[in-house]
Structure formats: structure tokens, C-alpha cells
Coordinates of all heavy atoms in Angstrom, one line a residue:
M235 N 82.8 49.0 91.2 CA 81.9 49.8 92.0 C 81.6 51.1 91.4 O 82.4 51.7 90.8 CB 82.6 50.0 93.4 CG 82.8 48.8 94.2 SD 83.6 49.3 95.7 CE 84.8 48.0 95.8
A236 N 80.4 51.5 91.5 CA 80.0 52.8 91.1 C 80.5 53.8 92.2 O 80.8 53.4 93.3 CB 78.5 52.9 90.9
L237 N 80.5 55.0 91.8 CA 80.9 56.1 92.8 C 79.6 56.8 93.2 O 78.6 56.6 92.6 CB 81.8 57.1 92.1 CG 83.1 56.5 91.6 CD1 83.9 57.5 90.8 CD2 84.0 56.0 92.8
I238 N 79.7 57.5 94.3 CA 78.6 58.3 94.9 C 79.1 59.6 95.3 O 80.3 59.8 95.7 CB 77.9 57.5 96.1 CG1 76.7 58.2 96.5 CG2 78.9 57.3 97.2 CD1 75.8 57.4 97.5
I239 N 78.3 60.6 95.2 CA 78.7 62.0 95.6 C 78.0 62.2 97.0 O 76.8 62.1 97.1 CB 78.2 63.0 94.6 CG1 78.9 62.8 93.3 CG2 78.5 64.4 95.1 CD1 78.5 63.7 92.1
T240 N 78.8 62.6 98.0 CA 78.3 62.8 99.3 C 77.7 64.2 99.5 O 77.8 65.0 98.6 CB 79.4 62.6 100.4 OG1 80.3 63.7 100.2 CG2 80.1 61.3 100.2
D241 N 77.0 64.4 100.6 CA 76.4 65.7 100.8 C 77.3 66.8 101.1 O 76.9 67.9 101.3 CB 75.3 65.6 102.0 CG 75.9 65.1 103.3 OD1 77.2 65.0 103.4 OD2 75.2 64.9 104.2
E242 N 78.6 66.5 101.0 CA 79.6 67.6 101.1 C 79.8 68.3 99.8 O 80.5 69.3 99.7 CB 81.0 67.1 101.6 CG 81.0 66.8 103.0 CD 81.6 65.4 103.3 OE1 82.3 64.8 102.5 OE2 81.3 64.9 104.4
C243 N 79.1 67.9 98.7 CA 79.1 68.5 97.4 C 78.8 69.9 97.5 O 77.8 70.3 98.2 CB 78.2 67.7 96.5 SG 78.0 68.4 94.8
I244 N 79.5 70.8 96.8 CA 79.3 72.2 96.8 C 78.7 72.7 95.5 O 78.6 73.9 95.2 CB 80.6 73.0 97.1 CG1 81.7 72.7 96.1 CG2 81.0 72.8 98.6 CD1 82.9 73.6 96.2
N245 N 78.3 71.8 94.6 CA 77.6 72.1 93.3 C 78.5 73.0 92.5 O 78.0 74.0 91.9 CB 76.2 72.7 93.6 CG 75.3 71.8 94.1 OD1 75.1 70.7 93.6 ND2 74.5 72.1 95.1
C246 N 79.8 72.7 92.4 CA 80.7 73.5 91.7 C 80.7 73.3 90.2 O 81.3 74.0 89.4 CB 82.1 73.4 92.2 SG 82.8 71.7 91.9
D247 N 80.0 72.2 89.7 CA 79.8 71.9 88.3 C 81.0 71.4 87.6 O 81.0 71.3 86.4 CB 79.3 73.2 87.5 CG 78.0 73.7 88.1 OD1 77.1 72.9 88.4 OD2 77.9 75.0 88.1
V248 N 82.1 71.0 88.3 CA 83.3 70.6 87.6 C 83.2 69.1 87.2 O 83.9 68.6 86.3 CB 84.6 70.9 88.3 CG1 84.8 72.4 88.4 CG2 84.7 70.2 89.6
C249 N 82.5 68.3 88.0 CA 82.5 66.8 87.8 C 81.7 66.4 86.6 O 82.0 65.5 85.8 CB 82.0 66.1 89.0 SG 80.3 66.5 89.5
E250 N 80.5 67.0 86.4 CA 79.6 66.6 85.4 C 80.2 66.5 84.0 O 80.1 65.5 83.3 CB 78.3 67.5 85.3 CG 77.3 67.0 84.3 CD 76.1 67.9 84.3 OE1 76.2 69.1 84.7 OE2 75.0 67.4 83.9
P251 N 80.9 67.5 83.5 CA 81.4 67.4 82.1 C 82.6 66.5 82.0 O 83.0 66.1 80.9 CB 81.9 68.9 81.8 CG 82.0 69.5 83.1 CD 81.1 68.9 84.1
E252 N 83.2 66.0 83.1 CA 84.3 65.1 83.1 C 83.9 63.7 82.9 O 84.7 62.8 82.5 CB 85.1 65.2 84.4 CG 85.8 66.5 84.5 CD 86.8 66.9 83.4 OE1 87.5 66.0 83.0 OE2 86.7 68.1 83.0
C253 N 82.6 63.3 83.1 CA 82.2 62.0 83.0 C 82.0 61.5 81.6 O 81.1 62.0 80.9 CB 80.9 61.8 83.8 SG 80.3 60.1 83.8
P254 N 82.8 60.5 81.1 CA 82.6 60.1 79.7 C 81.4 59.3 79.4 O 81.0 59.1 78.3 CB 83.9 59.3 79.5 CG 84.2 58.7 80.9 CD 83.8 59.8 81.8
N255 N 80.7 58.8 80.5 CA 79.5 58.0 80.3 C 78.2 58.8 80.6 O 77.1 58.3 80.5 CB 79.5 56.8 81.3 CG 80.6 55.9 81.0 OD1 81.0 55.7 79.8 ND2 81.2 55.3 82.0
G256 N 78.3 60.1 80.9 CA 77.1 60.9 81.2 C 76.4 60.4 82.5 O 75.2 60.5 82.6
A257 N 77.1 59.8 83.4 CA 76.5 59.3 84.6 C 76.2 60.3 85.7 O 75.5 60.1 86.6 CB 77.4 58.2 85.2
I258 N 76.8 61.5 85.6 CA 76.6 62.6 86.6 C 75.6 63.6 86.1 O 75.7 64.1 85.0 CB 78.0 63.2 86.9 CG1 79.0 62.2 87.4 CG2 77.8 64.4 87.9 CD1 80.4 62.7 87.6
S259 N 74.7 63.9 87.0 CA 73.7 64.9 86.7 C 73.3 65.7 88.0 O 73.6 65.3 89.1 CB 72.4 64.3 86.1 OG 71.8 63.4 87.1
Q260 N 72.7 66.8 87.8 CA 72.3 67.7 88.9 C 71.1 67.0 89.6 O 70.1 66.8 88.9 CB 71.9 69.1 88.5 CG 71.5 70.0 89.6 CD 72.5 70.3 90.6 OE1 73.6 70.6 90.3 NE2 72.2 70.2 91.9
G261 N 71.2 66.7 90.9 CA 70.1 66.2 91.6 C 69.3 67.3 92.3 O 69.4 68.5 91.9
D262 N 68.4 67.0 93.2 CA 67.6 68.0 93.9 C 68.4 69.0 94.6 O 68.2 70.2 94.6 CB 66.6 67.3 94.8 CG 65.5 66.6 94.1 OD1 65.2 66.9 92.9 OD2 64.9 65.6 94.7
E263 N 69.4 68.5 95.3 CA 70.3 69.4 96.1 C 71.7 69.3 95.8 O 72.4 70.3 95.9 CB 70.1 69.0 97.6 CG 68.7 69.3 98.1 CD 68.6 69.0 99.6 OE1 69.6 69.1 100.3 OE2 67.5 68.6 100.0
I264 N 72.2 68.2 95.3 CA 73.6 68.0 94.9 C 73.7 67.2 93.7 O 72.7 66.6 93.2 CB 74.5 67.3 96.1 CG1 73.9 65.9 96.3 CG2 74.5 68.2 97.3 CD1 74.7 65.1 97.3
Y265 N 74.9 67.1 93.1 CA 75.0 66.3 91.9 C 74.9 64.8 92.3 O 75.2 64.4 93.5 CB 76.4 66.5 91.3 CG 76.4 67.7 90.4 CD1 76.6 69.0 90.8 CD2 76.1 67.5 89.0 CE1 76.6 70.1 90.0 CE2 76.0 68.6 88.2 CZ 76.3 69.9 88.7 OH 76.2 71.0 87.8
V266 N 74.4 64.0 91.4 CA 74.3 62.6 91.7 C 74.9 61.7 90.6 O 75.1 62.2 89.4 CB 72.8 62.2 91.8 CG1 72.1 62.9 93.0 CG2 72.0 62.6 90.6
I267 N 75.2 60.5 90.9 CA 75.8 59.6 89.9 C 74.9 58.4 89.7 O 74.5 57.8 90.7 CB 77.2 59.1 90.4 CG1 78.2 60.3 90.5 CG2 77.8 58.0 89.4 CD1 79.5 59.9 91.1
E268 N 74.6 58.1 88.4 CA 73.7 57.0 88.1 C 74.6 55.8 88.1 O 75.5 55.6 87.2 CB 73.1 57.2 86.7 CG 72.4 56.0 86.1 CD 71.2 55.5 87.0 OE1 70.4 56.4 87.5 OE2 71.2 54.3 87.3
P269 N 74.4 54.8 89.0 CA 75.2 53.7 89.2 C 75.2 52.8 87.9 O 76.2 52.1 87.6 CB 74.7 52.9 90.4 CG 73.4 53.5 90.7 CD 73.3 54.9 90.1
D270 N 74.1 52.7 87.2 CA 74.1 51.9 86.0 C 75.0 52.4 84.8 O 75.3 51.7 83.9 CB 72.7 51.8 85.5 CG 71.8 50.9 86.4 OD1 72.4 50.1 87.2 OD2 70.6 51.1 86.4
L271 N 75.4 53.7 84.9 CA 76.2 54.3 83.9 C 77.7 54.5 84.4 O 78.6 54.8 83.6 CB 75.7 55.6 83.5 CG 74.3 55.6 82.7 CD1 73.8 57.0 82.4 CD2 74.4 54.8 81.5
C272 N 77.9 54.5 85.7 CA 79.2 54.7 86.2 C 80.1 53.5 86.1 O 79.8 52.4 86.6 CB 79.2 55.1 87.7 SG 80.8 55.5 88.4
T273 N 81.3 53.7 85.4 CA 82.3 52.6 85.3 C 83.6 53.0 86.0 O 84.6 52.4 85.8 CB 82.6 52.3 83.8 OG1 83.1 53.5 83.2 CG2 81.4 51.9 83.0
E274 N 83.5 54.1 86.8 CA 84.7 54.6 87.4 C 85.8 54.9 86.4 O 87.0 54.8 86.6 CB 85.3 53.7 88.5 CG 84.4 53.5 89.7 CD 85.0 52.7 90.8 OE1 86.1 53.0 91.2 OE2 84.3 51.8 91.3
C275 N 85.3 55.2 85.2 CA 86.1 55.6 84.0 C 86.9 54.4 83.4 O 87.8 54.6 82.6 CB 87.1 56.8 84.3 SG 86.1 58.3 84.5
V276 N 86.6 53.2 83.9 CA 87.3 52.0 83.3 C 86.9 52.0 81.8 O 85.7 52.2 81.5 CB 86.8 50.7 84.0 CG1 87.1 49.5 83.2 CG2 87.3 50.6 85.4
G277 N 87.9 51.7 81.0 CA 87.7 51.7 79.6 C 88.0 53.1 78.9 O 88.2 53.1 77.7
H278 N 87.9 54.1 79.7 CA 88.2 55.5 79.2 C 89.5 56.0 79.7 O 90.3 56.5 78.9 CB 87.1 56.4 79.6 CG 85.7 56.1 79.1 ND1 85.4 56.4 77.8 CD2 84.6 55.6 79.6 CE1 84.1 56.1 77.5 NE2 83.7 55.5 78.7
Y279 N 89.7 55.9 81.0 CA 90.9 56.5 81.7 C 91.5 55.6 82.7 O 90.8 54.7 83.2 CB 90.5 57.9 82.3 CG 89.9 58.9 81.4 CD1 88.6 59.2 81.4 CD2 90.7 59.6 80.5 CE1 88.0 60.1 80.5 CE2 90.2 60.5 79.6 CZ 88.8 60.8 79.7 OH 88.3 61.7 78.8
E280 N 92.6 55.9 83.2 CA 93.3 55.1 84.3 C 92.7 55.4 85.7 O 92.7 54.6 86.5 CB 94.8 55.4 84.3 CG 95.5 54.9 83.1 CD 95.5 53.4 83.0 OE1 95.8 52.8 84.0 OE2 95.3 52.9 81.9
T281 N 92.1 56.6 85.8 CA 91.6 57.0 87.1 C 90.2 57.7 86.9 O 89.9 58.1 85.8 CB 92.4 58.1 87.8 OG1 92.6 59.2 87.0 CG2 93.8 57.5 88.2
S282 N 89.4 57.7 87.9 CA 88.1 58.3 87.8 C 88.2 59.8 87.7 O 88.7 60.5 88.6 CB 87.3 58.0 89.1 OG 87.1 56.6 89.2
Q283 N 87.8 60.4 86.6 CA 88.0 61.8 86.3 C 87.2 62.7 87.2 O 87.8 63.7 87.6 CB 87.6 62.1 84.8 CG 88.5 61.3 83.8 CD 90.0 61.6 84.0 OE1 90.4 62.7 83.7 NE2 90.7 60.7 84.6
C284 N 86.1 62.3 87.6 CA 85.3 63.2 88.6 C 86.0 63.3 89.9 O 86.1 64.4 90.5 CB 83.9 62.7 88.8 SG 83.8 61.0 89.5
V285 N 86.6 62.2 90.4 CA 87.4 62.2 91.6 C 88.6 63.2 91.5 O 88.9 63.9 92.4 CB 87.8 60.8 92.0 CG1 88.7 60.9 93.2 CG2 86.6 59.9 92.3
E286 N 89.2 63.1 90.3 CA 90.4 63.9 90.1 C 90.1 65.4 90.1 O 90.9 66.2 90.6 CB 91.0 63.6 88.7 CG 91.6 62.2 88.6 CD 92.8 62.0 89.4 OE1 93.6 62.9 89.5 OE2 93.0 60.8 89.9
V287 N 89.0 65.8 89.6 CA 88.7 67.3 89.6 C 87.9 67.8 90.8 O 87.8 69.0 90.9 CB 87.9 67.6 88.3 CG1 88.8 67.3 87.1 CG2 86.6 67.0 88.2
C288 N 87.3 66.9 91.6 CA 86.5 67.4 92.7 C 87.3 68.2 93.7 O 88.3 67.6 94.3 CB 85.8 66.2 93.4 SG 84.8 66.7 94.8
P289 N 87.0 69.5 94.0 CA 87.8 70.3 94.9 C 87.5 70.0 96.4 O 88.3 70.4 97.2 CB 87.4 71.7 94.5 CG 86.0 71.6 94.0 CD 85.9 70.2 93.3
V290 N 86.5 69.3 96.7 CA 86.2 69.0 98.1 C 86.2 67.5 98.4 O 85.9 67.1 99.5 CB 84.8 69.6 98.5 CG1 84.8 71.1 98.5 CG2 83.7 69.1 97.7
D291 N 86.7 66.7 97.5 CA 86.8 65.2 97.7 C 85.6 64.6 98.3 O 85.6 63.8 99.3 CB 88.0 65.0 98.7 CG 89.3 65.4 98.1 OD1 89.5 65.3 96.9 OD2 90.2 65.8 98.9
C292 N 84.4 64.9 97.6 CA 83.2 64.3 98.1 C 82.7 63.2 97.2 O 81.5 62.7 97.4 CB 82.1 65.4 98.1 SG 81.6 66.1 96.5
I293 N 83.5 62.6 96.3 CA 83.1 61.5 95.5 C 83.9 60.3 96.0 O 85.1 60.2 95.9 CB 83.4 61.8 94.0 CG1 82.7 63.1 93.6 CG2 83.0 60.6 93.1 CD1 83.1 63.6 92.2
I294 N 83.1 59.3 96.4 CA 83.7 58.1 97.0 C 83.0 56.8 96.4 O 82.0 56.9 95.7 CB 83.4 58.1 98.6 CG1 81.9 58.1 98.9 CG2 84.1 59.3 99.2 CD1 81.6 57.9 100.3
V295 N 83.6 55.7 96.7 CA 83.1 54.4 96.2 C 81.7 54.2 96.9 O 81.6 54.4 98.1 CB 84.0 53.3 96.5 CG1 83.4 51.9 96.3 CG2 85.3 53.5 95.7
D296 N 80.7 53.8 96.1 CA 79.4 53.5 96.7 C 79.4 52.1 97.2 O 79.4 51.2 96.5 CB 78.4 53.7 95.5 CG 76.9 53.6 96.0 OD1 76.7 53.1 97.2 OD2 76.0 53.9 95.2
P297 N 79.2 52.0 98.5 CA 79.2 50.6 99.1 C 78.0 49.8 98.7 O 78.1 48.6 98.8 CB 79.2 50.9 100.6 CG 78.7 52.3 100.8 CD 79.1 53.0 99.5
D298 N 77.0 50.4 98.2 CA 75.8 49.7 97.8 C 75.9 49.1 96.3 O 75.0 48.5 95.8 CB 74.6 50.5 97.9 CG 74.2 50.9 99.3 OD1 74.6 50.1 100.2 OD2 73.7 52.0 99.6
H299 N 77.0 49.5 95.6 CA 77.2 49.1 94.2 C 78.6 48.6 94.0 O 79.4 49.2 93.3 CB 76.9 50.2 93.3 CG 75.5 50.6 93.3 ND1 75.0 51.6 94.1 CD2 74.4 50.1 92.6 CE1 73.7 51.7 93.9 NE2 73.3 50.8 93.0
K300 N 78.9 47.4 94.6 CA 80.2 46.8 94.5 C 80.4 46.1 93.2 O 79.5 45.2 92.9 CB 80.5 45.9 95.7 CG 80.5 46.7 97.0 CD 80.9 45.8 98.2 CE 80.9 46.6 99.4 NZ 81.8 46.3 100.4
E301 N 81.4 46.4 92.5 CA 81.7 45.7 91.2 C 83.2 45.5 91.0 O 84.0 46.3 91.5 CB 81.2 46.6 90.0 CG 79.7 46.8 90.0 CD 79.3 47.9 89.0 OE1 79.6 49.1 89.2 OE2 78.6 47.5 88.0
T302 N 83.5 44.4 90.4 CA 84.9 44.1 90.1 C 85.4 44.9 88.9 O 84.5 45.5 88.2 CB 85.1 42.6 89.8 OG1 84.4 42.3 88.6 CG2 84.6 41.8 91.0
E303 N 86.7 44.9 88.7 CA 87.2 45.5 87.5 C 86.6 44.9 86.2 O 86.3 45.6 85.2 CB 88.7 45.4 87.4 CG 89.4 45.9 86.2 CD 89.8 47.3 86.3 OE1 89.9 47.9 87.5 OE2 90.1 47.9 85.3
E304 N 86.4 43.6 86.2 CA 85.8 42.9 85.1 C 84.4 43.3 84.9 O 83.9 43.5 83.7 CB 85.9 41.4 85.3 CG 87.3 40.8 85.2 CD 88.1 41.1 86.5 OE1 87.5 41.2 87.6 OE2 89.3 41.1 86.5
E305 N 83.6 43.5 85.9 CA 82.2 43.9 85.8 C 82.2 45.4 85.3 O 81.3 45.7 84.5 CB 81.5 43.8 87.2 CG 81.3 42.4 87.6 CD 80.8 42.3 89.0 OE1 81.3 43.0 89.9 OE2 79.9 41.4 89.3
L306 N 83.1 46.2 85.8 CA 83.1 47.6 85.3 C 83.4 47.6 83.8 O 82.9 48.4 83.0 CB 84.1 48.4 86.1 CG 83.7 48.7 87.5 CD1 84.9 49.3 88.3 CD2 82.5 49.6 87.6
R307 N 84.4 46.8 83.4 CA 84.8 46.7 81.9 C 83.6 46.2 81.1 O 83.3 46.8 80.0 CB 86.0 45.8 81.7 CG 86.3 45.7 80.3 CD 87.7 45.8 79.8 NE 88.6 46.5 80.5 CZ 89.0 47.7 80.2 NH1 88.6 48.3 79.1 NH2 90.0 48.4 80.8
A308 N 82.8 45.2 81.6 CA 81.7 44.7 80.9 C 80.6 45.8 80.8 O 80.0 46.0 79.7 CB 81.1 43.5 81.6
K309 N 80.4 46.6 81.8 CA 79.5 47.7 81.8 C 79.9 48.7 80.8 O 79.1 49.2 80.0 CB 79.4 48.4 83.2 CG 78.2 49.4 83.3 CD 78.2 50.2 84.5 CE 78.2 49.5 85.8 NZ 78.1 50.4 87.0
Y310 N 81.2 49.1 80.7 CA 81.8 50.0 79.7 C 81.5 49.5 78.3 O 81.0 50.2 77.5 CB 83.3 50.1 79.9 CG 84.0 50.7 78.7 CD1 84.0 52.0 78.4 CD2 84.7 49.8 77.9 CE1 84.7 52.5 77.3 CE2 85.4 50.3 76.8 CZ 85.4 51.6 76.5 OH 86.0 52.1 75.4
E311 N 81.7 48.2 78.1 CA 81.5 47.6 76.8 C 80.0 47.7 76.4 O 79.6 47.9 75.3 CB 82.0 46.2 76.7 CG 83.5 46.2 76.8 CD 84.1 44.8 76.9 OE1 83.3 43.8 76.9 OE2 85.3 44.7 77.0
R312 N 79.1 47.4 77.4 CA 77.7 47.5 77.1 C 77.2 48.9 76.8 O 76.5 49.2 75.9 CB 76.9 47.0 78.4 CG 75.4 47.1 78.2 CD 74.7 46.6 79.4 NE 75.1 47.1 80.7 CZ 74.8 48.2 81.2 NH1 74.1 49.1 80.6 NH2 75.3 48.6 82.4
I313 N 77.8 49.9 77.5 CA 77.4 51.3 77.4 C 77.9 51.8 76.0 O 77.2 52.5 75.3 CB 77.9 52.2 78.5 CG1 77.2 51.8 79.8 CG2 77.8 53.6 78.2 CD1 77.8 52.4 81.1
T314 N 79.1 51.5 75.7 CA 79.8 52.1 74.5 C 79.7 51.3 73.3 O 79.9 51.8 72.2 CB 81.3 52.4 74.8 OG1 81.9 51.1 75.0 CG2 81.5 53.3 76.0
G315 N 79.4 50.0 73.4 CA 79.4 49.1 72.3 C 80.8 48.7 71.8 O 80.9 48.1 70.7
E316 N 81.8 49.1 72.6 CA 83.2 48.8 72.3 C 83.6 47.6 73.1 O 83.2 47.5 74.3 CB 84.1 50.0 72.5 CG 83.7 51.2 71.6 CD 84.6 52.4 71.9 OE1 85.7 52.2 72.5 OE2 84.2 53.5 71.5
S317 N 84.5 46.8 72.6 CA 85.1 45.7 73.4 C 86.6 46.0 73.5 O 87.2 46.7 72.7 CB 84.9 44.4 72.8 OG 85.4 44.3 71.5
S318 N 87.2 45.5 74.6 CA 88.6 45.7 74.8 C 89.5 44.8 74.1 O 89.2 43.9 73.5 CB 88.9 45.6 76.3 OG 88.4 44.4 76.8

């Protein structure tokens, strides 16, 4: 599953540099996550780094983008060109 940033985001700028896939960017009002680039850090880290650093816990699983661990790994491999 991709992650989503809720409207509780305070635009603190800590999540964007933590994303190894460049999936997080500044939106019109809050930061946003591009679901086609979000692997929940699968392939990079054990946990989602943006979730780890978010001071207001506004990053949650996006119910509109459900993916299995295998699908996230395949996305990681497609994005990075690396295989596990």
C-alpha cells in the first residue's frame, strides 16, 4: 500500500528528505505522496521512514492504494532497477 499524508500535516518539512524514492513533495496546502513512487520503504528500510520522523503522526496507509509486500517489492525493483 502506498501511504498518504492527512490534512493534519503541519508542513514541518521533515518527511520529504527521508523518502528514498522521492515520492513526497509539497502540495498546494500540505505535503503529498505520489502513490506510484511510494513503496513504504520496502527494499530500502524495515519501516517507513516518513512515518518514523513525522511529529504529528499524519502519515497513514492509503486505503485507495492497497498493495501486498510482493507488489511493493516489485515497485521498488521497477523504480530502482535493482532486484532482491
Side-chain angles (χ1 to χ4, degrees):
M235 291 179 227
L237 299 172
I238 189 170
I239 299 175
T240 68
D241 59 4
E242 284 133 20
C243 175
I244 59 171
N245 291 311
C246 66
D247 302 321
V248 298
C249 62
E250 183 181 24
E252 296 300 318
C253 181
N255 297 325
I258 301 174
S259 62
Q260 179 65 49
D262 290 336
E263 295 183 27
I264 61 173
Y265 277 87
V266 295
I267 298 176
E268 172 56 49
D270 291 338
L271 294 176
C272 179
T273 63
E274 293 185 50
C275 290
V276 167
H278 295 284
Y279 302 104
E280 294 293 317
T281 59
S282 300
Q283 298 301 288
C284 61
V285 173
E286 294 289 325
V287 299
C288 181
V290 293
D291 297 326
C292 68
I293 304 173
I294 61 171
V295 171
D296 184 348
D298 294 332
H299 293 95
K300 296 184 183 215
E301 296 169 292
T302 65
E303 176 91 15
E304 292 78 26
E305 290 170 321
L306 291 170
R307 175 136 331 257
K309 189 191 303 185
Y310 161 79
E311 291 174 3
R312 178 180 48 81
I313 291 168
T314 64
E316 297 179 17
S317 59
S318 49

